[in-house]
Amino acid sequence: EAAAASTRFIDMTKKQLAVASDTQHVVSSPDRNRKRSHSPGPDAAPTSTKFSPLPQYPPQPETFVYNAGVERQFFDAAKEALTTYSRDGELAWAEFLKCMDLYAQEILSRSEMLGMVEDLLGKRNTELFEEFKRILAAAGAVGTPTHDDAWHSVPLSEIDFSRCRKCSPSYRALPRDYPSPPCSERCDAEQKVLNDVWVSLPVGSEESYTFRHMRKNQYEETLFRCEDERFEIDMVIDSNATTLRRLEPIGEEIALLQEKEMPLSSTTFNDGIESNISRKGKDKCASNSKGGLGGKVFQYYFDDRILNTIHKHCITRIYGDSGQEMLKMLSKNPVIAVPVVIKRLRQKDEEFRAAREVLNRRWKELAELNYYKSLDHRSLTWRTTDKRATSTRTLAAEIKDRALHKGNEGVLAIAARKEKAKEEHGSFYEITMGRFLSRKMDLTSLPKPNISLFTPHLSMTYDNNSWAQRDAYRILSFALERGTISPSDKERCYRVWRDFLAPFFGLSLMWMQSPAISYAASTPTSTLSIVSNGDESGNEDDESSNEDLNDMVGDIMVTEEIMKDRDEGNDLDLLDHQPIAPGTNVSTIYGEGAIVKYRRLDNIYVISLPFGATAYLRQNAVLCTILCNTKSSLTQQLTSEDKETLDRNDDMLIIGPQSLYLFFRLHQILIRRLNIARKLAYSVNNDRALSTLLEQLSSKGSTDVGSRRYDAYISLVYGLVEGNFSSSSQNSSVNAAEGGKYEDRVRCLLGHGAYELATMDKLVSHILKNLQNLANLDTMQNMIQVFQRHREMGEFKPVAFRQEASIFSEGENMFAFQYCKVPKSDKTIMHMEFLGCIAESDEESEIENNMKTRSDLIVTKEEEKNDMPASKRPRR
């Protein structure tokens, strides 16, 4: 009988499939190897000891090999191949999917579909085509079980949950045909509470890299690094201790056995001597065998299963490159290796614990230094956000968008702001805080602007206007003085403040010049002024001085005595002084006035003050000149024709270019941030969570602490501005270091809520840039003169103001601003309107008016002609 055999063949999937031959298996028996004679019949084919391999085509269904995961890998590889190696990759992939769709709809046969797919894949991807044929045969074979694991290979992000049930913004129910995973041995209580249906599916950007709250700042990175180091050394110490606990009993057992082995080996050795004396030859070998191999009584065997992976890794770590050799020594000679390893582990344990004591002190310092800084997540992206929000493009686009939508934000602007809010605050921000995204201000209880000129397109409020405006002016004037701009530009900027911004915001000129007044009063050549009733006379060297004094009988005179400095070298060089012409309006330490004359002999100005007094002042007591506002007949004509005025007498009105709009927007941001700083300065003392972070200031009361904190912050701003705008090279490194410490100092003074104050230097420089542009614009200088003329008249007429501004606008886009005080509060509001190019519109209106007047004249002439008698009509 021929022995039954089975044939094996290897498929391309590297799986060995055993296929039984057609012959029957013979049951093994004792006579299995016995030879038997076999005579084949006449029709029988000659038998061969070799079996021919089974045909490989068509391939047999292999459902256990080609599951849903393998199919998914094939389609990913096919997509990559089609999109990478073909000229029109996306088109080729679309054609491939179209072939699959047509085959699924039974429009194409299998052979037609295979032919099309072969043409698409080409000769380069023959392996993919063969793989596709095997997958097609496995999936379409008769009796092939359905792939129950198809759902499990599809990620949740690719399952369409749009039609599934929803119980919260991010939880969806699984599809109804999704197989439930098996879970046994659940009690009734567990069946009621455990979830098998709902899955978390974030609808926003929480799982993407753009979600800002998932990022770590540098302080968080330091804390996480300390935590990782702490975890690593704890794991090293614990694994070392675990290995030591595992080997110590073995070492103790070895030591105990060795103690028992000593007397036994000595006894055996004595018996061996006696036997050697009495016996010879073979008896000597027999007597030595009683002591064991090498004279040892016990044979030691170390099982490798005693040490697991953690123990072996610990031994390998402490021995480095010789770790594997030491593990082999533990198995070969445990008597020698185990005590050595135990001693080494104890030594390393002491070293590791000593190192942890040192590192604990370092980790504590790093935690104290970085913990409170790590909680400030908003400062991580604030600089980028603030730079984008305060840019010229963003501010100009905002009001133009509102102008197109009658003071409301456009749909695109709101959608863009929602996306930014989602990116900054998460997807739930729209649901929880979406109602606050609209920036339309409620003007119900606030002063409203003039209807004929304002919609308004944008409105801004100034809180705590009395002190905030003064602090803002101090910061800007300090930055302007320490800046690197030219002296002529500085003078123009100061004139803009003096002539326009100060009266517009309600700042007193005497208060603005108080630093100069205090400086003039503190010079060594000055004394206190003497107020008299006119008994004292001026310098008699002047011929006209006595006549002037005689004319001022009964009037109040202010004189200033001059003390000669003992050191003539410190005296002022008065030869270079150019006297101011009489009749010029000047600002002095006693207020504004007009120069009457200049006495060259004693270098004294005679100045007429507005309250009826005459002052005799030195040169340094005259602070600056004041340009007289020229009167305009056009202003008088337009204001006389315009009967409409502002609703409130104390309101201010100005029309200016885009630089003025940018200045007002940035100036309002500066006022708002100063309010934030003052509010935090008075409130952080009550926050116990920040007690260890805040810098402690000793004072009598909480109000005093708040004021001292705010003053300390203003000093920090001065130092920051001086460092960034300093032109001295010798202090550049010091200033840079101070600028780097600014943010930390602000955090120590005001806490985490002061993240908006981190970009004060950029904001101040941006404001000064627009102020410099304003000072150099001829259009703005003309607008300031128009503003002064209307202000001197005592009332602003908006229509007349707009008509006069259109003449000086020179084709630029103009903006209207109305500054109103909120009654019974220290609060003001500014309304803004984008007027566009008012010069062109006014010219067109003038042309239309001229056309109308010309048409009216033509009509009247025609009527006159019709009314004339026929004898007086001209002949044609």
Side-chain angles (χ1 to χ4, degrees):
E1 298 178 0
S6 61
T7 304
R8 295 181 179 270
F9 69 94
I10 300 177
D11 196 8
M12 292 184 66
T13 58
K14 308 303 181 183
K15 301 291 183 178
Q16 292 185 352
L17 304 179
V19 180
S21 61
D22 295 337
T23 60
Q24 298 179 355
H25 290 278
V26 181
V27 181
S28 61
S29 61
D31 301 332
R32 180 176 178 179
N33 297 327
R34 184 179 303 171
K35 294 183 179 180
R36 292 187 179 181
S37 59
H38 176 71
S39 58
D43 299 334
T47 59
S48 177
T49 57
K50 259 187 176 181
F51 288 91
S52 61
L54 294 180
Q56 297 185 4
Y57 189 84
Q60 299 297 324
E62 301 174 0
T63 57
F64 56 90
V65 174
Y66 293 102
N67 52 22
V70 174
E71 292 178 4
R72 183 175 184 82
Q73 291 178 3
F74 163 75
F75 281 104
D76 291 340
K79 182 178 181 181
E80 182 180 0
L82 289 175
T83 55
T84 304
Y85 296 106
S86 58
R87 182 176 299 177
D88 299 329
E90 297 296 335
L91 183 61
W93 173 247
E95 291 294 330
F96 179 79
L97 295 180
K98 188 184 296 183
C99 291
M100 297 296 102
D101 185 39
L102 294 175
Y103 175 70
Q105 297 178 13
E106 297 182 358
I107 298 176
L108 295 177
S109 64
R110 177 175 294 193
S111 58
E112 293 174 346
M113 184 268 295
L114 287 175
M116 293 181 179
V117 170
E118 186 177 8
D119 295 337
L120 287 173
L121 292 176
K123 297 181 180 180
R124 185 189 298 270
N125 303 308
T126 54
E127 295 182 359
L128 277 177
F129 181 67
E130 294 297 329
E131 185 78 8
F132 176 68
K133 289 194 295 184
R134 286 193 295 271
I135 292 175
L136 189 64
V142 180
T144 303
T146 58
H147 297 298
D148 294 335
D149 59 342
W151 279 109
H152 300 293
S153 64
V154 179
L156 293 177
S157 59
E158 297 188 10
I159 299 178
D160 185 14
F161 286 95
S162 59
R163 298 183 180 181
C164 298
R165 292 175 295 164
K166 179 176 68 172
C167 69
S168 71
S170 64
Y171 271 90
R172 298 290 192 276
L174 289 170
R176 297 186 182 276
D177 54 348
Y178 193 92
S180 58
C183 184
S184 60
E185 298 186 4
R186 281 188 182 180
C187 63
D188 296 337
E190 292 172 347
Q191 290 287 352
K192 293 179 181 178
V193 298
L194 294 180
N195 171 41
D196 290 330
V197 178
W198 304 98
V199 292
S200 176
L201 186 70
V203 295
S205 56
E206 286 86 348
E207 290 186 347
S208 64
Y209 183 71
T210 59
F211 186 53
R212 297 186 183 275
H213 285 187
M214 298 300 293
R215 300 181 185 178
K216 303 184 185 72
N217 53 29
Q218 55 181 344
Y219 310 108
E220 278 185 302
E221 292 288 350
T222 303
L223 293 180
F224 275 94
R225 195 180 306 114
C226 292
E227 188 65 26
D228 291 340
E229 293 175 359
R230 191 191 304 270
F231 174 77
E232 287 296 331
I233 195 169
D234 287 344
M235 289 296 295
V236 168
I237 293 175
D238 290 343
S239 61
N240 192 78
T242 303
T243 308
L244 192 59
R245 287 194 300 267
R246 178 60 64 92
L247 291 179
E248 278 180 345
I250 300 175
E252 294 175 358
E253 185 177 358
I254 291 175
L256 181 60
L257 292 176
Q258 285 181 342
E259 291 177 359
K260 294 181 178 180
E261 189 178 28
M262 293 300 295
L264 293 176
S265 61
S266 61
T267 305
T268 306
F269 182 72
N270 293 332
D271 294 340
I273 293 175
E274 295 176 356
S275 61
N276 286 333
I277 295 174
S278 59
R279 300 178 183 179
K280 295 179 182 180
K282 294 188 273 186
D283 297 333
K284 183 178 179 181
C285 297
S287 63
N288 286 336
S289 63
K290 295 181 180 179
L293 182 62
K296 298 294 184 180
V297 177
F298 300 104
Q299 294 183 0
Y300 300 92
Y301 172 76
F302 188 83
D303 192 358
D304 292 337
R305 293 175 296 178
I306 295 177
L307 300 179
N308 57 20
T309 306
I310 296 177
H311 304 144
K312 294 178 181 179
H313 179 68
C314 178
I315 296 173
T316 306
R317 179 174 56 246
I318 63 176
Y319 282 99
D321 296 337
S322 303
Q324 295 297 330
E325 185 179 355
M326 184 55 66
L327 291 176
K328 294 179 181 178
M329 290 296 296
L330 285 174
S331 300
K332 292 180 178 179
N333 195 355
V335 179
I336 304 299
V338 170
V340 174
V341 172
I342 292 175
K343 182 180 178 180
R344 182 66 171 169
L345 289 172
R346 287 172 179 170
Q347 179 185 355
K348 282 296 181 181
D349 185 68
E350 294 177 359
E351 293 178 4
F352 291 153
R353 294 183 186 276
R356 185 170 62 177
E357 291 294 332
V358 177
L359 290 174
N360 277 332
R361 292 191 292 269
R362 174 175 169 269
W363 291 332
K364 183 179 180 181
E365 295 175 358
L366 290 176
E368 291 176 353
L369 184 63
N370 296 280
Y371 172 69
Y372 287 102
K373 298 177 184 178
S374 66
L375 299 178
D376 191 5
H377 292 274
R378 291 165 293 188
S379 62
L380 180 63
T381 56
W382 173 250
R383 291 185 179 274
T384 305
T385 305
D386 183 66
K387 182 179 180 181
R388 182 173 61 244
T390 57
S391 63
T392 301
R393 178 182 299 179
T394 302
L395 296 177
E398 181 180 357
I399 193 169
K400 290 179 182 179
D401 179 71
R402 287 177 175 270
L404 293 175
H405 299 87
K406 298 181 180 180
N408 298 317
E409 282 189 292
V411 178
L412 297 178
I414 295 177
R417 200 147 51 82
K418 285 183 178 180
E419 291 298 326
K420 292 179 181 178
K422 285 183 181 180
E423 182 181 353
E424 187 71 24
H425 305 286
S427 59
F428 290 104
Y429 181 81
E430 182 182 0
I431 300 173
T432 57
M433 305 293 290
R435 61 184 181 277
F436 299 107
L437 288 176
S438 179
R439 295 183 181 177
K440 183 69 174 179
M441 182 176 291
D442 187 12
L443 302 178
T444 305
S445 58
L446 297 174
K448 298 176 180 58
N450 184 266
I451 302 177
S452 60
L453 194 59
F454 290 88
T455 303
H457 293 157
L458 187 64
S459 300
M460 303 183 306
T461 57
Y462 295 79
D463 296 327
N464 301 315
N465 192 64
S466 58
W467 59 263
Q469 290 286 356
R470 295 191 175 190
D471 290 346
Y473 172 76
R474 290 192 188 101
I475 294 173
L476 294 176
S477 61
F478 180 82
L480 183 63
E481 183 65 28
R482 298 302 178 94
T484 57
I485 62 176
S486 61
S488 59
D489 286 347
K490 288 183 181 179
E491 180 65 24
R492 294 190 188 97
C493 292
Y494 281 123
R495 288 185 182 275
V496 171
W497 269 107
R498 183 193 63 202
D499 299 338
F500 164 58
L501 293 177
F504 190 84
F505 288 120
L507 298 177
S508 172
L509 185 60
M510 289 296 295
W511 176 84
M512 293 174 60
Q513 295 175 346
S514 57
I517 294 172
S518 61
Y519 174 78
S522 63
T523 54
T525 59
S526 64
T527 60
L528 296 176
S529 60
I530 301 174
V531 181
S532 63
N533 294 328
D535 296 336
E536 296 85 353
S537 62
N539 196 323
E540 296 178 357
D541 295 337
D542 198 325
E543 297 178 357
S544 61
S545 61
N546 293 330
E547 298 177 0
D548 295 337
L549 292 176
N550 292 332
D551 295 338
M552 295 173 61
V553 176
D555 294 340
I556 299 177
M557 292 187 298
V558 180
T559 61
E560 223 179 15
E561 295 182 357
I562 301 177
M563 295 178 61
K564 293 183 179 180
D565 195 3
R566 295 179 182 179
D567 188 5
E568 295 180 358
N570 293 335
D571 195 6
L572 298 175
D573 188 8
L574 303 177
L575 297 177
D576 297 335
H577 179 72
Q578 299 296 330
I580 303 174
T584 305
N585 293 332
V586 294
S587 176
T588 68
I589 60 176
Y590 301 104
E592 298 179 4
I595 294 180
V596 179
K597 65 180 68 176
Y598 175 69
R599 301 193 308 208
R600 293 181 178 273
L601 296 178
D602 52 0
N603 302 307
I604 295 295
Y605 281 104
V606 181
I607 299 176
S608 174
L609 299 178
F611 48 86
T614 302
Y616 297 86
L617 304 177
R618 293 177 295 104
Q619 298 166 2
N620 59 349
V622 179
L623 302 178
C624 62
T625 61
I626 300 176
L627 297 178
C628 296
N629 190 21
T630 58
K631 295 183 180 180
S632 173
S633 59
L634 177 63
T635 303
Q636 296 177 356
Q637 178 183 356
L638 293 176
T639 53
S640 61
E641 295 176 357
D642 186 12
K643 303 300 181 182
E644 184 182 2
T645 59
L646 299 180
D647 298 337
R648 292 161 295 277
N649 295 329
D650 56 351
D651 288 0
M652 294 292 174
L653 180 66
I654 186 65
I655 296 177
Q658 180 173 318
S659 298
L660 182 61
Y661 162 73
L662 296 174
F663 174 83
F664 280 146
R665 288 295 305 271
L666 297 172
H667 182 264
Q668 191 269 343
I669 295 175
L670 178 61
I671 296 293
R672 183 172 59 85
R673 293 186 182 177
L674 290 176
N675 278 279
I676 292 174
R678 190 178 181 90
K679 182 180 178 181
L680 290 173
Y682 281 88
S683 61
V684 292
N685 289 323
N686 301 325
D687 192 353
R688 295 181 179 180
L690 301 176
S691 58
T692 57
L693 168 67
L694 295 178
E695 182 178 347
Q696 301 300 325
L697 300 178
S698 59
S699 60
K700 297 180 180 179
S702 59
T703 306
D704 189 20
V705 173
S707 61
R708 289 187 60 189
R709 284 191 186 277
Y710 180 72
D711 294 340
Y713 169 71
I714 295 297
S715 300
L716 284 178
V717 175
Y718 287 149
L720 178 66
V721 170
E722 184 179 9
N724 287 338
F725 293 94
S726 177
S727 59
S728 60
S729 59
Q730 56 184 359
N731 296 329
S732 59
S733 60
V734 178
N735 294 331
E738 291 296 329
K741 297 178 182 178
Y742 165 77
E743 191 171 349
D744 296 337
R745 291 282 295 125
V746 171
R747 190 181 289 108
C748 292
L749 277 174
L750 305 177
H752 304 310
Y755 66 95
E756 293 188 31
L757 308 178
T759 56
M760 286 291 286
D761 54 340
K762 304 297 181 183
L763 179 62
V764 170
S765 63
H766 203 175
I767 294 174
L768 292 183
K769 179 182 177 182
N770 288 281
L771 180 62
Q772 186 179 1
N773 293 337
L774 282 178
N776 293 322
L777 281 177
D778 295 335
T779 304
M780 190 62 208
Q781 299 301 325
N782 295 329
M783 293 297 105
I784 291 176
Q785 293 182 6
V786 175
F787 169 79
Q788 290 178 340
R789 288 196 291 265
H790 279 258
R791 182 167 171 262
E792 288 179 356
M793 292 172 55
E795 58 182 1
F796 290 90
K797 296 189 175 181
V799 178
F801 202 114
R802 186 182 187 279
Q803 291 176 352
E804 191 170 0
S806 63
I807 299 175
F808 301 106
S809 63
E810 299 179 357
E812 295 185 20
N813 289 331
M814 304 299 287
F815 298 79
F817 308 92
Q818 185 172 346
Y819 187 70
C820 312
K821 295 181 179 179
V822 179
K824 299 180 181 180
S825 66
D826 190 13
K827 186 177 181 180
T828 55
I829 185 172
M830 180 181 290
H831 303 285
M832 301 182 179
E833 186 80 8
F834 175 66
L835 301 178
C837 185
I838 57 178
E840 297 178 358
S841 61
D842 288 348
E843 290 177 0
E844 291 175 359
S845 61
E846 290 179 1
I847 293 173
E848 292 178 359
N849 293 332
N850 294 334
M851 292 294 294
K852 288 181 180 179
T853 53
R854 290 180 61 186
S855 61
D856 293 340
L857 290 174
I858 293 173
V859 171
T860 53
K861 288 181 179 180
E862 291 293 335
E863 292 177 353
E864 290 177 357
K865 289 180 181 180
N866 294 331
D867 295 339
M868 289 174 59
S871 60
K872 295 184 178 181
R873 294 178 183 175
R875 295 181 180 180
R876 296 181 179 178

